[in-house]
Every structure is written in C-alpha cells, then in structure tokens.
Amino acid sequence: LSSSTTFRLLATLTNHNYVERQEQSGEYSLGLACLELARAYHASNTIRRAALPHLQKLRDKTLETVHLAVLDKLEVVYLEKLHGLHAIGLMTSRVGGRLPSHCTGLGKALLAYVNPQEVREYFGQHGLTGYTGTTIRDLDELMAHLEQIRHRGYAFDHGEHEAEVCCVAVPLFDFDDRAVAALSVSGPRERLDPIEDRLDLIETARQAARDISARLGYNLSE
C-alpha cells in the first residue's frame, strides 16, 4: 500500500480505537477496541460451548428448532441454530445473523433484563418497526411487556417477526447474575399455537436454560 493510503487506513482505525499511535515513536499498536472484540468473542464462545450439549438434548426432546443468541447493540445475534426434526418451512434465522430484538422471543427475553432507560432511549431513536400484525409498535406497551417477561422468566414470539413462526425463549444467566444469552424453541404456528398452552415445551426449555446457566456459574439457589 502507498504511504498515503496506509495513513488514511490507520487514521480510521485510530478513530475507532482499533489502533493507538505512540506519540514519541510514531509507531502504532493495537487499541482497546481489539480487547473488546476479544472479550466479546471469548464470552460468546464460552456460552456456546457450555450450551451446545443441552441445546442438542432440547432439540431431540422437543423435535423443534432450537436457537442460542446474544444481544449486541440491542440487536439479536445468533450463536447457534439446531434445525428441528419436524418438517418446517422457511425460517430466516442463521448463525451470525442479526434480527431486531423487539419482535423476537430471544430479543425480548434479553431486553427484559436491560436497563429500562437504555431500552427506551434505543427504541425512541430507532423506532419499533412492524413486521407482522402481532408486532408490538408502541413503546409503552413494549416496556410493560418486558416487565411481564422479567416477572415470569420467559418470553413468547407470536409470529411477531415471521407471521407463521412461534417460539418460547428463556434467558441464560452467568456467575454475575447477568442475562448473557437466551435460548429458544421455535416452530410453525400451526403446530405450536397457542404457545402459552404448551406447558411441557415451556418447562423443557426452562430446564435447559437452568442447566446451561448452572454451567455458566449461576447460583440457582439465590
């Protein structure tokens, strides 16, 4: 690369804290943003390793599609997807993909444990995009909904992002009592609706979440 191109690239990386310039020597080194990336990767990888055996058992027991996801900048990022053993139509989720949090079970299960003021500020700025007739579009309604989820410990998706897909989602907690990820069991509405009545499915998902949280160091007795 030419020196001018290299300088522009380094200037951009410096502005985003990926590199730092040493004032005396003029040399560049890795910045704090690289450490943040490493921490995020390590955390995500640790969660996936701890969760995978339990996700496989959950999928085999329910026969439905199972997901594992985290929040990044209040968006859902998928860490794992195990396809169900039942036939199912198109489901757009994919490992590494992002989806909105306000209209997905995984997203709502995690948003319920985010500082409410942060949630209000984020959606006040970005809005609540409607995807189906069941998507929550009102911010006050969303906040009340998240409080209900926090109280009962799990969330539902009533076809809020994909009209024909329902799910139950449960947060996963670590040793610091933080909701660091969530799992979900998803399937077609024709098979799972009304999802609230699938008590066996809900309890199976909750038990898997308890087992994974225990592996992450969460004290279930507290």
Side-chain angles (χ1 to χ4, degrees), residues 8 20 29 58 71 76 99 114 119 121 129 132 135 184 213 218:
R8 287 197 300 271
E20 295 177 351
S29 59
L58 181 60
L71 277 186
V76 173
L99 284 180
V114 175
V119 176
E121 290 177 357
T129 302
T132 72
T135 305
S184 70
S213 295
Y218 180 60

Side-chain angles (χ1 to χ4, degrees), residues 7-27:
F7 180 79
R8 287 197 300 271
L9 290 172
L10 285 170
T12 300
L13 291 170
T14 301
N15 287 337
H16 292 280
N17 295 320
Y18 286 103
V19 299
E20 295 177 351
R21 186 175 185 274
Q22 309 302 318
E23 292 297 332
Q24 292 185 346
S25 67
E27 294 179 345

Side-chain angles (χ1 to χ4, degrees), residues 68-167:
L68 175 70
V70 295
L71 277 186
D72 179 54
K73 299 176 182 176
L74 296 197
E75 291 182 323
V76 173
V77 179
Y78 288 87
L79 301 183
E80 187 57 80
K81 177 179 181 178
L82 301 179
H83 292 276
L85 304 180
H86 284 305
I88 186 172
L90 179 65
M91 191 181 293
T92 61
S93 56
R94 58 180 176 81
V95 174
R98 288 176 177 263
L99 284 180
S101 54
H102 71 285
C103 56
T104 55
L106 290 162
K108 292 188 295 180
L110 290 169
L111 282 178
Y113 296 90
V114 175
N115 184 299
Q117 185 60 35
E118 183 180 348
V119 176
R120 280 192 174 276
E121 290 177 357
Y122 177 85
F123 288 107
Q125 178 181 354
H126 293 85
L128 295 165
T129 302
Y131 293 90
T132 72
T134 56
T135 305
I136 296 175
R137 301 292 307 277
D138 180 79
L139 185 51
D140 288 335
E141 181 183 351
L142 175 65
M143 300 307 297
H145 189 62
L146 295 179
E147 186 175 351
Q148 293 174 355
I149 292 168
R150 190 165 52 252
H151 177 73
R152 69 177 177 233
Y154 52 92
F156 297 118
D157 178 351
H158 298 95
E160 295 160 46
H161 184 260
E162 296 176 89
E164 298 306 315
V165 177
C166 285
C167 90

